[in-house]
Amino acid sequence: MIPSRYRNAVLFALLAVVWGSSFVAIETGLRTLPPVLFAALRYDIAGGILLTVVAVLGFRRDDFQWRPATRTDWTLVGVGGVFMFGLYLALFFTGQQYVTSGVGAVVLSLKPVATPVFALALLPNERFDALEIGGILLALLGVVVVADPTSLGGSTVGVGLLLVGSLVFAFASVVTQRLRTTLPALSQQAWMMAVGALVLHATSAAVRGWPSVSLTRSAAVSLVYLAVVASIGGYLIYFDLLGRIGANEVNLVNYAVPVVATVFGALLLGEPITDATITGFLVIVAGFVLLKRAALKRGVVAARRPSRSPPGATSSETVVVSGNAYYRG
């Protein structure tokens, strides 16, 4: 039993370890499995489990909406499934073939920076000041440092695919945020995973046909770990923390994950930790701080005050986009 005063800190650290170590599991599985098919199999398992869970909840509780019921519900599930679990993961797993665990995690940490850029174009009342624009440019510079374009090789190609994947995810996050729905988050994720798995299977078949795959023990362990521990376990920890400490604090895990992924990749796979990876990560974090300085300041002030809101309550200024929170200007 975790003492209550340490519970949130322990869960935060556990979430960082679970999601950071998932990059090592992906690297391991990619040694024998085609990337897009690997991603599809992961969400066959994760989506199947979550769909079973929400269906059981729906039959047991009359007040729980376990499946999409309106056109908006289906649009939300379709957009999220096709882009956030389909195209994004196809690009992510394909790009991860060319880079180390740490580099992959560092590039994907750009998502919380890229999302407000699309929000500026697609959501009303969004404005950036000079420092926020500087933060975005600084974060992009960090990706360039990690990619090291002076040596155009597989690593640069991998970073490019991961960067495009991050932009696809950020765009879809903002689009789904505009869709007003009463479908619970658990049901949303379950159906998006199922749709995403279908998209990934179709993409894999279109690119490679129907390959004959020999599932090795290490690939099978990686697949189960990613589907059950990283996808479902990580999801449950994340939303538990979201309700207890708020979106600003829990989403800082995006910047703990690259550190964990880099360390685990070095210890378990013997991956190098380069100066470019470290420098690029620090530059991206600096850009994030500039972009989110107002939200971070509000989070510090709120943390010093006794909370009067029940767990899970959010500020009227908070926009929750597929598990990530951003503030309207």
Side-chain angles (χ1 to χ4, degrees), residues 91-100 103-104 107-108 147 153-165:
L91 291 165
F92 170 19
F93 275 60
T94 303
Q96 193 63 47
Q97 291 181 111
Y98 303 101
V99 299
T100 64
V103 168
V107 177
L108 292 182
S155 177
T156 304
V157 172
V159 170
L161 290 170
L162 291 166
L163 174 59
V164 174

Side-chain angles (χ1 to χ4, degrees), residues 218-240:
S218 61
V221 171
S222 297
L223 187 59
V224 172
Y225 182 84
L226 288 168
V228 178
V229 179
S231 297
I232 296 177
Y235 168 86
L236 293 175
I237 295 172
Y238 176 87
F239 275 91
D240 180 81

Side-chain angles (χ1 to χ4, degrees), residues 36 39-41 43-44 47 77-90 189-203:
V36 181
L41 294 173
Y43 285 101
D44 284 342
V77 166
V79 172
V82 170
F83 290 98
M84 298 170 71
F85 285 92
L87 181 57
Y88 161 67
L89 286 165
Q189 295 292 317
W191 285 92
M192 285 181 185
M193 284 182 183
V195 171
L198 292 175
V199 172
L200 289 166
H201 277 295
T203 303

Side-chain angles (χ1 to χ4, degrees), residues 27 31 98-104 106 146 155 258-259 261-278:
E27 290 282 355
R31 293 174 177 175
Y98 303 101
V99 299
T100 64
S101 303
V103 168
V106 167
V146 173
S155 177
V259 177
T262 301
V263 172
F264 274 49
L267 292 177
L268 300 179
L269 301 178
E271 295 177 339
I273 302 176
T274 66
D275 292 339
T277 301
I278 297 172

Side-chain angles (χ1 to χ4, degrees), residues 146-211:
V146 173
D148 189 13
T150 59
S151 57
L152 294 175
S155 177
T156 304
V157 172
V159 170
L161 290 170
L162 291 166
L163 174 59
V164 174
S166 297
L167 296 177
V168 167
F169 185 94
F171 170 77
S173 294
V174 175
V175 172
T176 55
Q177 190 273 323
R178 298 183 68 181
L179 300 171
R180 304 298 179 183
T181 178
T182 58
L183 191 65
L186 187 65
S187 300
Q188 289 180 33
Q189 295 292 317
W191 285 92
M192 285 181 185
M193 284 182 183
V195 171
L198 292 175
V199 172
L200 289 166
H201 277 295
T203 303
S204 177
V207 173
R208 301 179 63 97
W210 298 101

